[in-house]
Amino acid sequence: MTCEGYREEFNHALDTGTHERPSEEMLEHTHSCTACREYASSMLGLHADLLSLPVEQPSRALLQELSAIGGSEGSPALVLGWKPEIRRAMVLLIFLLPVLLLWIFPAAWAAPAECCIVTAVLAWLFTDILRPTFFDRTGGRSADS
Amino acid sequence: MPPRVFEFNQVVQEYAVSVYNHAHRMVGSREDAEEATQDVFRKVHAGLAGFRGEAKLSTWMWRITANVCLTRLAARRMETVPIEGEPALGDGSPDPERQLIDQEECRCLAKLISALDPREASAINLFYYEGLRYHEIAEILSVPEGTVATLLHRGREKLRVLFQKGVRL
């Protein structure tokens, strides 16, 4: 194994967490190469330092500024993870669905079971799609505005 | 399955500290990090309504953070050219108090990370502080996984050399 090969493999081992179980080939190389032994030692120290660096807390002023972004710029507090165009298309589909069903299966409206299923599906879609489309928790602004 | 609902203030609470720390390690100074953090959350706020949920929210957040920091660093490097081979530690100000603060700051590893190439710094941050794997970092930085390994390898190697030069925490 060359020094270059060893260092590449050692770095990969650090990334995958397998550096504590080096291969036979790597062990042989470290026994014979002082430079790579020192390299591994310094890299392990650096790796440990990087893992244990403390997290710095941002200033209170910054946190207030960040919170103010949501409040001052007047956009939705609540949004749905679908594209607005898709949401609008789905809302339109909900309104058109009964008309389409009536047009395709006029007899289905006579059966109470079918009516119940369609009503349940529409209710579910209303809950999940219409509410976030038209209202948000801050008082009814459109989520798309 | 209905898509997940995200609330901006929850996103701020969840990511403010991480984004600030990431920005601080990328741009080096506290002031720049605060400005970068605000830029990130303004972009998040503007883009949240159009967030399709195709990627994880965290991936999307880190992509914005990395891009904001890279843009700020690129703009800064247009203004000042650092000495070849040396970390850009100060802001060039002749103010002795500022220089003292910078000297203090350069003792910390975070400051050393900010002296790396921005993509290397980003990869190091995402790997060590966010605990992300190759494929996640690759998605955020829009590079192949092999490049992520190279960025991490090169970044660590540069940090090791800086340590050997005597720059310590």
Side-chain angles (χ1 to χ4, degrees):
Chain A
M1 180 178 251
T2 62
C3 290
E4 196 182 336
Y6 171 83
R7 290 175 189 209
E8 201 167 309
E9 205 166 313
F10 185 80
N11 269 281
H12 184 70
L14 280 180
D15 293 344
T16 53
T18 55
H19 56 282
E20 286 170 3
R21 301 183 302 278
S23 64
E24 286 293 323
E25 212 179 354
M26 286 176 77
L27 280 173
E28 272 177 33
H29 186 81
T30 41
H31 284 137
S32 61
C33 178
T34 314
C36 283
R37 205 162 46 240
E38 284 170 5
Y39 173 86
S41 169
S42 61
M43 269 301 186
L44 279 174
L46 176 65
H47 184 69
D49 283 346
L50 285 168
L51 285 171
S52 61
L53 204 68
V55 172
E56 194 177 326
Q57 289 301 316
S59 67
R60 188 180 290 270
L62 175 64
L63 294 174
Q64 284 172 348
E65 295 257 8
L66 297 180
S67 298
I69 291 171
S72 65
E73 294 181 17
S75 82
L78 183 68
V79 286
L80 198 64
W82 277 325
K83 282 177 87 172
E85 298 80 34
I86 295 171
R87 276 206 312 270
R88 287 193 199 101
M90 291 187 79
V91 168
L92 195 64
L93 187 66
I94 288 170
F95 284 114
L96 290 177
L97 195 61
V99 180
L100 282 170
L101 284 173
L102 192 62
W103 184 59
I104 298 167
F105 308 109
W109 292 100
E114 278 87 340
C115 285
C116 287
I117 291 167
V118 170
T119 309
V121 169
L122 287 178
W124 179 78
L125 288 170
F126 263 68
T127 309
D128 276 344
I129 297 167
L130 284 182
R131 189 180 54 196
T133 302
F134 292 121
F135 307 107
D136 65 54
R137 288 176 197 166
T138 60
R141 289 192 305 268
S142 167
D144 298 336
S145 61
Chain B
M1 191 177 81
R4 199 184 146 189
V5 170
F6 300 108
E7 196 171 345
F8 179 73
N9 284 338
Q10 282 178 346
V11 175
V12 170
Q13 280 178 5
E14 197 171 334
Y15 289 98
V17 175
S18 304
V19 168
Y20 170 75
N21 275 271
H22 186 101
H24 195 197
R25 290 176 200 126
M26 289 280 291
V27 299
S29 81
R30 187 183 287 263
E31 294 79 12
D32 278 355
E34 290 193 349
E35 282 176 19
T37 307
Q38 287 184 44
D39 284 354
V40 168
F41 280 100
R42 274 194 204 101
K43 283 179 189 289
V44 168
H45 186 260
L48 203 54
F51 178 61
R52 287 168 290 178
E54 285 171 358
K56 284 200 300 185
L57 179 68
S58 59
T59 305
W60 182 63
M61 286 286 307
W62 292 126
R63 192 178 292 153
I64 292 174
T65 307
N67 286 338
V68 164
C69 292
L70 290 172
T71 306
R72 291 187 79 87
L73 286 169
R76 192 202 288 172
R77 278 169 195 194
M78 292 281 283
E79 293 164 9
T80 57
V81 181
I83 300 163
E84 190 67 33
E86 290 293 328
L89 298 175
D91 59 3
S93 163
D95 180 2
E97 193 179 329
R98 179 72 224 166
Q99 284 178 340
L100 192 66
I101 292 167
D102 282 344
Q103 281 168 6
E104 273 300 307
E105 281 181 348
C106 85
R107 290 175 199 281
C108 76
L109 193 51
K111 191 73 183 172
L112 290 182
I113 293 168
S114 74
L116 297 175
D117 173 272
R119 281 181 176 268
E120 292 165 0
S122 221
I124 293 259
N125 274 324
L126 293 169
F127 181 79
Y128 280 101
Y129 306 113
E130 303 311 321
L132 302 187
R133 291 167 184 268
Y134 279 1
H135 71 274
E136 293 168 307
I137 300 172
E139 197 182 339
I140 290 165
L141 298 181
S142 304
V143 294
E145 284 186 37
T147 307
V148 174
T150 308
L151 290 172
L152 285 170
H153 185 158
R154 259 198 248 142
R156 264 196 306 256
E157 182 59 31
K158 286 181 186 172
L159 288 173
R160 190 182 71 87
V161 171
L162 288 170
F163 262 54
Q164 281 185 340
K165 280 183 178 174
V167 187
R168 292 274 167 195
L169 277 170

